[in-house]
Amino acid sequence: MFFICVKRSTVSIVTTLCQPALFISILGISAIAMHAHAATSTEAASLTDGLQLISLNADEIAAEENDDSLSDIADMLDVADEPDDSIDSIADESALTDDANEIDTGIPAEVAQVSLNAISPETLKTFVAVVDLVRRQYVDAVNDEELFNNAMSGMLTKLDSHAEFLDAEAYENLRAFTEGDVGDIGIKVAYQPRDGYWIITDVIDDSPADKKGIAVGDYLHQVDEFKLDEERQVNDVEQLLTGIAGTQVDIVTSKAGRRKHTTTLQRNNSHPQLVETKIVDGIAIIKLPAFQNNSRERVLEGLINLDAPVSGILLDMRDNPGGVLTSAVSVASLFMSDTDVVQVQARQSKARVLSTQGTAILKPLPVVVLQNRYSASAAEVLSSSLQAQKRAIIVGEVSYGKGSVQSVIPLNDEQAVKLTVANYVTATGKQIDGIGVTPDVTLSGSESTWEQQALDLLKARALDSGIRFIRKATTIDPTVK
C-alpha cells in the first residue's frame, strides 16, 4: 500500500495527516495505488475466466488463463513528490478573530520568520485583508468556509487547467468514474442564428448548473478556453462540457444584455458509459467511450457476445476523454505483447516506462483506430502506441493533445486535491501535450460518415477467415492454456 503524508495546518491547529493516497492518474485517472483498485473486480474477472479463441480455419488460438493482471503496473506510477517537512509550522491562535467582523491583519513574528520559500508576510497580510474586504463589502453575504474553499480552488486552477480542489461530491464522482462514469454539468444548448449566440435550452433540475443559477435562456459564450461561435456544432459544445465525472469546467455565460460571468462547475451530473460492440461484414466495431478499471474485460465480453467470426477490429475512440492509465495499457496488451506503451516523467524521479503484460489475445486481427479532436489523454496513449508499433492504422483527425498525469490525493474522507504530478510522452519519446496524435489517414466530410470510411479501409486488410470468441467449457482441463 502506498502512503503519502501531507502536513496540514490551520490558524489554531497544526497536524500531520498520513493516510492512503488515492492516486488516480487522470490522463485520465490512473489508480496508482488505490486500495479499491484490484487488477479486476470479481465480476470483471468472471467475464474472461476460461476464455478461448477458435479460428475458423481450424487453427486454435488459446487465451491464457486470467493471469495477465496489470496490477503491478500501478507500482510503476509512484510519481508523487516526497512531503516537505523542512518548513516549521507554529500554531497561532490570534491570526484570525471574529470580533466585530474584523480581521487582525498583524503578522505574528513566528510566521514572519518562516524559512526557505515560505510565503512573505506582506502576501499573507494582503490575503487576510482581501478576505476581510469580501466579508464586509461584497453584495451578498458569503460564508467563510466557502471563501476559503474558493481560495484553495483558485490556487490550484491557476497552476494548470487540470489541477483542482475536490469537495465531497466531486471527490465521490471522481472515485465512481473508475467504475464507469462520465459527467456533464446538466445543460443543453443550441445556436440561435437570429441572436448570433449559443443559448441554453435546458437545465436539469438539481444539476451542477442548476445549483449555480444557470438558467434556460442564458447565453453561453465560452467553455474553458474555447470561445463559441457559429462555426461550432452542437456535438462540439456537448463534448467540451462533458468529461470525466468529478472534474471541473469553466463556462462564461450572460443574461441577454448583461455582463458576462464566469462560473466554475464540476461535472457531477454523471452517467455510466458502456463499451458498445457490433459486427458489420465480419468487422467488430468497438465503441470505447472512456477507460475504466474494467474496460479490457468489457471489450472481451463484447467480442464473446457477438457470437460470430471476427476478421478485423475497428476501435472507435472518438470523444473519449481518457481515464485510467493502467486500463489503457491493459487494452493495449490485448493487441501487442512485450511492447512499451508510454513514458511517464515526474519532477523528482526517473521516467517510468509502462509496457504491455500477458497474452496479446487480439494479436492476429488487423486494427483501425478511429479518433477525433476530442480523443484525449489515455485514448492518445493507446492510439500512439498502436501507431508507433505499426499495429494499427489511425484514422480521423488530430487528437486533443493532453499529455499530463493528475493524481488525486485525499485530504480526508470527503475532500481531495487533484494535482498534476507528471507528464507523459509516447514510448518513442514524442510529445503529445499540446500536439496530439496525427492520424495516418485524415478523414473528410461529415463525421457521421467516418465509421463507414474506416470500415472500407479495414476491409482491405481483414483476415480471409475470422476468429470466433467463446468461453472455455467447464470440462476443459484447467491446465490447458
Side-chain angles (χ1 to χ4, degrees), residues 266-328:
Q266 288 170 329
R267 296 180 175 99
N268 292 345
N269 185 51
S270 59
H271 38 89
Q273 296 293 293
L274 301 176
V275 176
E276 300 176 1
T277 307
K278 62 181 180 180
I279 192 161
V280 177
D281 297 332
I283 304 296
I285 302 175
I286 302 172
K287 174 65 176 175
L288 191 58
F291 289 93
Q292 281 86 30
N293 287 340
N294 61 3
S295 292
R296 173 190 178 277
E297 288 70 34
R298 295 302 182 192
V299 167
L300 291 175
E301 180 190 31
L303 292 172
I304 294 169
N305 291 339
L306 288 177
D307 194 24
V310 175
S311 57
I313 291 180
L314 173 57
L315 187 60
D316 187 349
M317 293 197 295
R318 287 177 294 177
D319 304 329
N320 185 320
V324 182
L325 175 57
T326 50
S327 175

Side-chain angles (χ1 to χ4, degrees), residues 48-68 296 300 333-334 337 358-364 467-473 476-481:
T48 55
D49 188 26
L51 177 69
Q52 71 173 353
L53 310 179
I54 296 181
S55 173
L56 290 189
N57 59 12
D59 294 331
E60 180 175 345
I61 304 173
E64 294 283 353
E65 290 290 347
N66 208 24
D67 61 352
D68 51 352
R296 173 190 178 277
L300 291 175
S333 298
L334 291 173
S337 57
T359 303
I361 298 174
L362 306 182
K363 192 172 183 177
I467 297 173
R468 186 184 295 270
F469 295 77
I470 66 170
R471 288 185 175 87
K472 285 184 178 179
I476 289 181
D477 186 344
T479 63
V480 177
K481 301 296 185 180

